């Protein structure tokens, strides 16, 4: 089969590797769409190899034994390789599993890369796609809508809320869709004009450049009584964005950290005790919400058509990664069969 590959000379394309096999409760899925996330950084970080991607949708084509899926099932391939047996997995928050997949045969090497024509996945992490959904739209149940869906659920975002989203890359733009779906007013922060305009098209009420003077005041002016936003989520991983989010949220508000990042100043007294805010670390959504996120997708098809800005054959993966590096895109999709 073909997989996306970065070669020693620094170029990217596809290479051939053996087809994966099914064993135990690990199925083989034919990948129809592979959404692209932050893998483009590998191309510009002088990395080589072919283990790229963590988002996919496709069709079950092989199972080793009867289980939770059947051959022919259309499925979302949930990320990760958790154990499936610990209290975290059993509670549905498997993404935080500390153990990893257990009990594999010594001679079995699963293909977990999603930028490939086929992959392996445990059957309980293959969630169904309704017949009325296209593979492209269903693929937004991965990182397109998934992380921020976990955030809006955790913070109980509703139509009374004003929500701040810092960082309007593909994850943050998904947050605009999730928040406006629930009736919230959304304020975005991002310096990139392309993404700012796309956020407005997806329903954001206002978007500010974080490099502007007085951006905190401008955010607060968009809220009732200029008291600050009710909820906030950072999808940038930028330390200054983290600080802005904390400063912009009202007393007793809630914030979610979604973007991978580093340290930033957080004050126990001024931020936590006296302001009384709640902090959440969000990576994905609880598996029990897999059917609910499908409803969000079904009811926002027009927005998803705007959100998905580019599609590439996997043979042009380098061109796709180069586009992502410009940041002038929303969600980008790969077709492994072209």
């Amino acid at each position: 089969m073909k997989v996306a590959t970065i070669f020693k000379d620094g170029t990217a394309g596809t290479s051939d590797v053996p087809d994966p096999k099914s064993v135990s409760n690990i199925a083989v899925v034919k990948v129809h769409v592979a959404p692209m996330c932050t893998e483009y950084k590998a191309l510009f970080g002088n990395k080589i190899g072919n283990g790229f991607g963590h988002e996919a949708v496709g069709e079950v084509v092989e199972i080793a034994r009867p289980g939770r899926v059947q051959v022919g099932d259309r499925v979302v391939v949930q990320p990760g390789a958790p154990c499936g047996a610990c209290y975290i997995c059993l509670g549905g928050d498997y993404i935080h599993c500390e153990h990893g997949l257990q009990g594999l045969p010594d001679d079995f090497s699963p293909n977990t890369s999603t930028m490939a024509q086929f992959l392996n996945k445990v059957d309980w992490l293959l969630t169904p796609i309704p017949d009325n959904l296209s593979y492209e739209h269903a693929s937004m149940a991965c990182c397109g809508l998934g992380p921020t869906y976990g955030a809006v659920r955790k913070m109980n975002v509703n139509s009374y809320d004003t929500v701040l989203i810092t960082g309007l890359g593909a994850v943050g733009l998904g947050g605009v869709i999730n928040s406006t779906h629930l009736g919230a007013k959304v304020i975005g922060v991002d310096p990139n004009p392309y993404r700012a305009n796309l956020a407005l098209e997806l329903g954001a009420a206002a978007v500010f450049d974080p490099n502007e003077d007085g951006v905190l005041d401008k955010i607060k002016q968009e809220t009732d009584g200029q008291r600050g936003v009710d909820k906030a989520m950072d999808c940038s991983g930028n330390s200054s964005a983290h600080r802005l989010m904390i400063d912009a949220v009202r007393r007793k508000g809630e914030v979610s950290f979604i973007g991978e990042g580093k340290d930033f100043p957080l004050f126990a007294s001024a931020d936590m005790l006296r302001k009384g805010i709640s902090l959440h670390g969000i990576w994905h959504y609880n598996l029990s919400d897999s059917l609910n996120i499908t409803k969000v997708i079904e009811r926002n098809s027009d927005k998803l058509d705007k959100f998905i800005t580019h599609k590439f054959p996997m043979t042009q993966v380098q061109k796709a990664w180069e586009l992502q590096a410009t940041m002038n895109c929303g969600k980008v999709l790969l077709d492994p069969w072209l």
Side-chain angles (χ1 to χ4, degrees):
M1 69 171 182
K2 303 288 186 182
V3 296
T5 304
I6 299 177
F7 303 104
K8 291 182 180 180
D9 64 358
T11 63
T14 62
S15 62
D16 292 299
V17 299
D19 290 353
K21 301 297 182 183
S22 179
V23 63
S24 185
N25 66 334
I26 300 175
V28 176
V29 177
K30 178 182 179 181
V31 179
H32 283 257
V33 174
M36 305 182 74
C37 196
T38 58
E39 297 85 4
Y40 71 92
K41 295 179 181 179
L43 183 66
F44 302 96
N46 299 316
K47 295 185 178 180
I48 62 173
N50 55 22
F52 300 109
H54 53 269
E55 306 178 65
V57 291
E59 174 189 358
V60 177
V61 293
E62 182 181 311
I63 54 175
R65 68 185 190 194
R68 300 192 181 190
V69 295
Q70 300 179 18
V71 171
D73 285 353
R74 302 168 73 243
V75 294
V76 174
V77 180
Q78 299 291 346
C83 73
C86 69
Y87 75 98
I88 293 176
C89 287
L90 294 175
D93 289 316
Y94 70 91
I95 199 72
H96 299 290
C97 176
E98 297 178 304
H99 306 294
L101 191 59
Q102 307 288 317
L104 295 179
D106 292 338
D107 61 348
F108 179 70
S109 180
N111 175 59
T112 58
S113 305
T114 60
M115 293 183 181
Q117 292 180 325
F118 298 96
L119 58 78
N120 290 115
K121 184 64 65 169
V122 290
D123 59 4
W124 61 276
L125 286 181
L126 299 173
T127 54
I129 298 173
D131 292 340
N132 63 308
L133 278 191
S134 69
Y135 279 119
E136 290 182 355
H137 281 187
S139 73
M140 296 301 98
C142 300
C143 292
L145 297 180
T148 55
Y149 183 81
V152 299
R153 290 285 283 174
K154 184 69 175 181
M155 298 190 296
N156 191 30
V157 170
N158 58 69
S159 60
Y160 299 105
D161 288 332
T162 298
V163 176
L164 174 67
I165 302 176
T166 53
L168 296 172
V171 172
L173 291 169
V176 176
I177 296 173
N178 277 315
S179 299
T180 55
H181 171 78
L182 295 169
K185 176 181 178 179
V186 174
I187 302 169
V189 173
D190 198 286
N192 181 284
Y194 182 100
R195 290 177 168 177
N197 289 331
L198 184 51
L200 293 170
E201 289 185 35
L202 294 176
V207 179
F208 300 110
D209 185 333
N211 300 313
E212 295 175 359
D213 292 336
V215 65
L216 178 60
D217 289 338
K218 292 177 181 179
I219 292 170
K220 288 188 174 183
Q221 287 170 9
E222 293 286 334
T223 68
D224 294 336
Q226 300 185 31
R227 64 176 184 170
V229 299
D230 303 291
K231 317 285 172 62
M233 60 182 85
D234 175 69
C235 302
S236 72
N238 185 288
S239 296
S240 61
H242 293 162
R243 189 62 242 175
L244 177 64
M245 180 172 65
I246 297 295
D247 291 336
V249 75
R250 65 169 173 80
R251 288 175 178 258
K252 298 299 292 182
E254 297 182 66
V255 300
S256 291
F257 295 84
I258 300 172
E260 300 277 1
K262 298 181 179 180
D263 295 343
F264 78 100
L266 179 68
F267 304 105
S269 295
D271 296 331
M272 300 302 299
L273 301 183
R274 295 173 188 173
K275 201 170 183 181
I277 61 176
S278 298
L279 310 182
H280 308 289
I282 303 293
W283 203 359
H284 197 49
Y285 54 92
N286 189 286
L287 192 61
S288 65
D289 272 327
S290 59
L291 294 180
N292 289 331
I293 196 171
T294 298
K295 295 178 182 178
V296 177
I297 292 169
E298 289 174 332
R299 297 172 187 177
N300 289 276
S301 59
D302 290 345
K303 287 186 177 181
L304 294 184
D305 288 337
K306 296 178 181 179
F307 181 32
I308 300 168
T309 58
H310 297 82
K311 306 168 190 176
F312 288 89
M314 194 166 66
T315 51
Q316 296 182 20
V317 64
Q318 177 168 337
K319 185 177 179 181
W321 278 334
E322 289 171 345
L323 169 69
Q324 284 187 290
T326 70
M327 300 185 182
N328 292 327
C329 57
K331 196 63 178 174
V332 181
L333 306 184
L334 275 189
D335 185 335
W337 296 91
L338 295 176

